[in-house]
Amino acid sequence: MQPNILFVFADQLCYSALACNGNRVVRTPNLDRLAREGVVFDQAFSSCPICSPYRAQVLTGRYAHANGVIDNEYALFEGETTIAHALKKSGYKSAYVGKWHLGYPPYTAPARFGFDDLYAYNCTHRYYDVSYWHNEDGPFPMVDFAPRVETQLTLETIQAHRRDHPESPFCLFLSWGPPHWSTVDGVRDYGEYPQQYDIYDRQQIDVPGNVPRQFEAFARREIADYYAMVTSLDACMGRLLDALEAWGLAENTIVCFSSDHGDHLSAHGYGKPGATDAWMHHTLQLSKGTPLEESAHVPFLLRYPACVQGNQRTDTMFNS
């Protein structure tokens, strides 16, 4: 029986920001569970660590210079074959939920690049002010923290698939916006998340040695909020895993969790682009987009109980 595929990825999540990858502060019990039940890839990298290029690489299996998306807002070359196109030939139904960043709505069939359904928006990082389109219909406002709504849309899409196409496997991509900083009233920071996750003591945050001494107090505050965003996503991951279990889908579903790239988080003296850090030299206004560890090294967890033994780690190197 062909496996279902659920590929979940965050935006701007560092390899080092998961407990299962050795972080002693951040709380990620559901992702830790996924790691225990599957395989942790310790050497996974984003080969072009910016939002749009990663998405195009993952969907096409081709490098940025080959598929046309060499930077944000670039379009895929016409005629590119995506994973959705390929799996359709094997009977899969496919959907994509969340941040798309490969084109603006409405999402006509050519703009969906093989996916049967998009519940998506191009790019926004205001997590309580997001609207999405379902293919050519929309916009529909999200009435809660965007990752929660996107997680619910994913569960509803799987349920609809089980009802309408019980004999077909599904391939579903879920793209969350956090822990990428949000932009509210011109300020870029990591504080826009449900306050129940504001659980990190700034004084307990370990600041890496490559953060300039002058940045340390700022970095502690920033990283504490960043971890809160990560924990909010972990709760959403728990909903997905519990639902697959309850619906009897866990055994034959390949679940992957990853990120499009990491975040410098003040390492090497980098800051965020834009007005808030306009005092910095433009070459230091980078939260990602470099080949440095913090930017290019991403988490990658894979669970497939039907075929893959759990509780494994591998240092096999691969990229997006």
Side-chain angles (χ1 to χ4, degrees), residues 6 10-11 65 75 111 136 175 190 214 230 282:
L6 176 60
D11 192 324
H65 69 276
E136 299 175 51
S175 169
Y190 301 87
Q214 297 91 333
V230 174
H282 65 88

Side-chain angles (χ1 to χ4, degrees), residues 276-296:
T276 52
D277 291 343
W279 55 271
M280 302 183 75
H281 192 270
H282 65 88
T283 59
L284 289 175
Q285 293 183 35
L286 288 172
S287 52
K288 66 268 189 176
T290 72
L292 296 170
E293 163 76 16
E294 295 82 2
S295 172

Side-chain angles (χ1 to χ4, degrees), residues 125-127 182-189 192:
H125 290 288
R126 295 188 62 175
Y127 302 125
S182 58
T183 305
V184 180
D185 297 328
V187 177
R188 297 182 173 187
D189 63 26
E192 197 182 25

Side-chain angles (χ1 to χ4, degrees), residues 23 25-26 189-191 193 197-229 264-267 270 272:
N23 190 305
V25 176
V26 72
D189 63 26
Y190 301 87
Y193 53 82
Y197 300 108
D198 186 14
I199 58 176
Y200 294 99
D201 182 350
R202 275 68 174 157
Q203 300 309 310
Q204 299 300 312
I205 300 298
D206 292 328
V207 177
N210 58 12
V211 172
R213 179 175 56 82
Q214 297 91 333
F215 288 21
E216 285 183 2
F218 171 80
R220 283 193 178 90
R221 295 194 303 272
E222 187 169 72
I223 294 171
D225 282 333
Y226 182 87
Y227 287 173
M229 279 192 163
H264 291 134
L265 291 169
S266 296
Y270 283 112
K272 294 181 291 298

Side-chain angles (χ1 to χ4, degrees), residues 17-36:
L18 299 183
C20 59
N21 286 342
N23 190 305
R24 295 175 296 178
V25 176
V26 72
R27 302 178 194 176
T28 52
N30 295 295
L31 290 165
D32 299 346
R33 167 189 165 191
L34 184 64
R36 286 193 307 272

Side-chain angles (χ1 to χ4, degrees), residues 132-187:
Y132 71 94
W133 287 67
H134 176 207
N135 298 345
E136 299 175 51
D137 297 328
F140 303 107
M142 296 187 184
V143 295
D144 192 2
F145 183 53
R148 287 177 170 168
V149 178
E150 291 155 0
T151 300
Q152 182 62 31
L153 285 170
T154 298
L155 295 173
E156 291 172 2
T157 301
I158 294 173
Q159 280 285 59
H161 174 86
R162 297 176 69 215
R163 180 189 67 237
D164 300 335
H165 307 284
E167 302 304 317
S168 300
F170 65 79
C171 172
L172 200 154
F173 279 70
L174 169 57
S175 169
W176 289 317
H180 188 294
W181 35 259
S182 58
T183 305
V184 180
D185 297 328
V187 177

Side-chain angles (χ1 to χ4, degrees), residues 77-94:
F77 288 144
E78 290 187 14
E80 285 292 309
T81 297
T82 69
I83 188 172
H85 288 125
L87 291 178
K88 190 184 296 287
K89 296 177 182 178
S90 295
Y92 278 78
K93 298 294 183 180
S94 60

